[in-house]
Amino acid sequence: LGLLDLIAEQVAAHRGGGAAAGLPSPEWTAWALIGLGTASNLGRELGLPGTQPRQQMFAAIGGQLLG
């Protein structure tokens, strides 16, 4: 079981077992969350957005992805 599978399982569990209407599949959502984390980490390493903007970004985008 890889990281992508683990995240997709958690997304599906959060949604009650599978895809939700109007939302991407758990697998696509897992990829998006991995990309969001990667972008946030790169930004932190480059000294771009501070902690609060990153937390707001995760809350806003993550909330939309998870439903």
Side-chain angles (χ1 to χ4, degrees), residues 21-49:
L23 295 173
S25 71
E27 293 78 16
W28 280 105
T29 300
W31 276 114
L33 291 170
I34 289 171
L36 181 60
T38 301
S40 176
N41 193 40
L42 286 170
R44 185 186 67 198
E45 292 296 323
L46 294 172
L48 297 174

Side-chain angles (χ1 to χ4, degrees), residues 11 17 29 31 52 55 60:
V11 169
T29 300
W31 276 114
Q52 186 175 9
Q55 289 174 342

